[in-house]
Each structure stands twice: as structure tokens, then as C-alpha cells.
Amino acid sequence: PVRKWFASVIPERVRTERAAAYLGLAFAVLCWAGNTVLARGVVHETGPMALSFWRWIVAWLIILPFSLPHVKRERGALLENKGKLVVLSLFSVAMYNSLLYVAAQFTTAMNMSIVTAAFPAITILFAWILIKEVPDRTQVTGVFIAALGMLAIIFRGSLANVFSLAFNAGDLLVVAAVLSWAIYSVFLRKFRLPVHPLTLLTLTVSLGVIMIFPFFLLETLRADLFRFTLKNAYILLFLALFPSLLAYLFWNQGVLKVGPGRAAFFLYLLPVFGSLLAYLFLGEEFQLYHLAGSVLIFIGLYLAI
């Protein structure tokens, strides 16, 4: 009945825009699932800050020809909002990915997934405090059900795996990364900068690269791991196109359309997409706990949005 009432009072155009936003958010998470699988396999060979720095440099070179006309036309608005742009760049491009790459050196994929499971709840809390976006009971129920599904996949459907966990300092970096992305998502909605999406992404990437550079330089001086090879070129191209440019564009638009609280729920799809990618490209088996966890996640997502 609630869904029927919703369909009767919400204009078709708005429903279409929301559906497009939800698809975009799901696609962004799919890109980040690929990023998680790929980055964890190469971060020890390239160095976390080098991977973060060159990923965004390649992304910047790709997007600049398309965004430059918008940037020139909107430079007045950019100057008026330069402080807000610095905040968005710091918590997204500079901190979030870099912290995750550094954390991958010290913790396990399971631990990273468990900490990331707290992301929707943290984002809803920040949205409540900072922009007065109050969740309803259905959303809270959705968080709980989806979290159970995510944990079912992470622990492979066995409680025995819960008792084998061991947390370390790397997990604190994942917590910092999750907090950073939650703050970015909320401020993105709060600021609502009056610029083209390509302009916003270009400026956040540009400022973020500047912030990353000192840490990249320090890492290079201490342990110069990164080498420009054909393999690394393919990796950087993938990371620049999908987890960086396309994922950020779709995520930004989704947050602006439906809010950071609802958008955050889509991150529960990370283990679902991760399992599917592992099945398709790595030959890993799709187990019963994957199916059970995925069903719970989709139920929770349906209730939340």
C-alpha cells in the first residue's frame, strides 16, 4: 500500500530520476568492488600513495579536455566556493582512497569489509546531525537487515569465522576512510555547488592530487616501488576510468538526487558485486551463503530506498 501511494503522489518524472539515480549508485559501487579486488592485489608492488597519485593524475588527464570549457565558464562560482571545494577534495580524493590503500598493507580484506559495513549507519548519523535528514523506522530496519546480509557474506555463513578475527592498526585507517567518505557525501549534499558535474569532479581531483603529492613524494624517497610497465598502465587506466571518474560522477549525482543517507545503503552491495566478480573472473565458487546474504541485502535496500 505504501508503494502504491508513493506511485500515485510522486510525479513520473521524479520517479524516473530517482530510478536513474539508484542505477547510477549501484554502478558506482560495482566499479568500487572492482577497485577493491584489483588494488589489493597490486598495492604491495606499487606503493599506496603512488597508486593513489597516479590513478588520479591519469583521471585528470582524461577528464580535462571535456571539462575545461565548463571550468572556464564557471570560474566565478568556483572562486566563490573555493573553501567548500577544498573540503570536498580533502575528504574524497585526498583522504578516502589513500587511507584505504595504506590500510590494505596492514589488514585483511575481511576486516576492511566488516568496518565498511558501518558506513551507511555512520552516514545516516552525520546526515541527521549536519543537514537534518532524519531516517524513518523503515530505513533503520533496512540498515539492520542489509548489514546482516553483508556480514553473512563476509563471515561465509559461519559463526566460527567471527572468533578468528584479529584487528590491528590498519583497521583504524579503514575507520578513518569510512568517516572521511561519510563526511564527503553529507557535505556534497549540504553545499550543492552551482557548477556542472564535470567542473566539480575536475576541481576536486585537481585539489586532491595537490594534497596527495607531498605524501607520494615522501613514499617515493623512502621506497620507490612504482614502475611504469604495460601491466601498470592497464591498471591505472581502469582505476582512472571506472572507480575514479565514472563512479564519482554517478555517486555525486545520486547523492544530490536522493541524499547521502539513501545513497549510503548501496555500499552494502560491495560484497555482492565482489563475490560476483570473483566468480566471473577468478573462478571462485558462488556459495549458498553468498545467495542468502545477497537476498538479505536486497531486502534491506528495498526497505531503505
Side-chain angles (χ1 to χ4, degrees):
V2 174
R3 297 289 174 177
K4 290 181 179 179
W5 174 86
F6 177 83
S8 67
V9 298
I10 303 297
E12 183 179 353
R13 180 181 62 83
V14 175
R15 297 202 304 271
T16 302
E17 289 179 353
R18 287 189 178 183
Y22 292 150
L23 288 174
L25 290 167
F27 177 75
V29 175
L30 175 61
C31 292
W32 288 328
N35 172 59
T36 301
V37 173
L38 183 62
R40 182 159 178 81
V42 301
V43 70
H44 293 281
E45 303 172 9
T46 61
M49 301 312 298
L51 189 61
S52 182
F53 178 78
W54 289 115
R55 159 189 174 174
W56 287 112
I57 286 292
V58 175
W60 186 82
L61 292 173
I62 292 172
I63 197 176
L64 191 62
F66 303 98
S67 64
L68 195 56
H70 298 289
V71 173
K72 289 180 178 179
R73 185 170 60 252
E74 297 171 331
R75 58 183 178 274
L78 294 174
L79 290 173
E80 291 176 4
N81 295 280
K82 55 182 179 293
K84 295 176 181 178
L85 286 167
V86 169
V87 171
L88 294 176
S89 303
L90 173 65
F91 288 111
S92 60
V93 173
M95 287 185 62
Y96 175 66
N97 294 282
S98 301
L99 287 171
L100 283 183
Y101 287 162
V102 174
Q105 294 183 307
F106 304 104
T107 189
T108 64
M110 180 180 288
N111 283 23
M112 292 177 73
S113 298
I114 293 167
V115 176
T116 304
F119 175 83
I122 292 172
T123 305
I124 288 173
L125 178 62
F126 282 176
W128 189 355
I129 295 172
L130 297 175
I131 61 176
K132 311 304 179 186
E133 187 179 286
V134 183
D136 56 33
R137 291 183 179 179
T138 306
Q139 282 185 295
V140 174
T141 302
V143 170
F144 179 74
I145 294 174
L148 287 179
M150 186 174 187
L151 293 175
I153 295 175
I154 293 169
F155 292 125
R156 302 178 182 178
S158 173
L159 287 176
N161 291 324
V162 177
F163 302 105
S164 64
L165 289 175
F167 292 97
N168 56 47
D171 300 310
L172 295 178
L173 293 176
V174 182
V175 172
V178 168
L179 291 174
S180 176
W181 190 254
I183 292 171
Y184 164 72
S185 297
V186 173
F187 277 140
L188 181 67
R189 172 85 163 188
K190 180 180 177 65
F191 293 157
R192 288 183 174 274
L193 299 185
V195 296
H196 192 276
L198 290 178
T199 302
L200 175 62
L201 186 55
T202 300
L203 265 293
T204 52
V205 171
S206 301
L207 293 172
V209 165
I210 293 172
M211 297 174 189
I212 293 170
F213 180 73
F215 300 96
F216 160 69
L217 186 61
L218 180 62
E219 179 184 86
T220 301
L221 292 174
R222 294 181 61 184
D224 187 11
L225 298 176
F226 188 83
R227 294 291 182 272
F228 284 102
T229 63
L230 186 60
K231 174 187 173 182
N232 287 339
Y234 286 135
I235 291 172
L236 289 175
L237 185 60
F238 172 83
L239 293 178
L241 280 175
F242 291 97
S244 302
L245 296 181
L246 292 177
Y248 269 66
L249 283 171
F250 281 112
W251 182 267
N252 289 352
Q253 290 303 105
V255 169
L256 293 175
K257 288 291 183 184
V258 305
R262 281 190 171 88
F265 283 101
F266 283 81
L267 284 179
Y268 280 134
L269 293 174
L270 271 173
V272 178
F273 289 150
S275 302
L276 181 61
L277 291 174
Y279 170 74
L280 293 175
F281 297 104
L282 301 179
E284 295 184 6
E285 293 185 9
F286 194 84
Q287 303 285 353
L288 182 60
Y289 62 80
H290 288 123
L291 178 60
S294 298
V295 169
L296 287 174
I297 288 171
F298 281 112
I299 292 173
L301 193 59
Y302 176 79
L303 292 174
I305 64 176

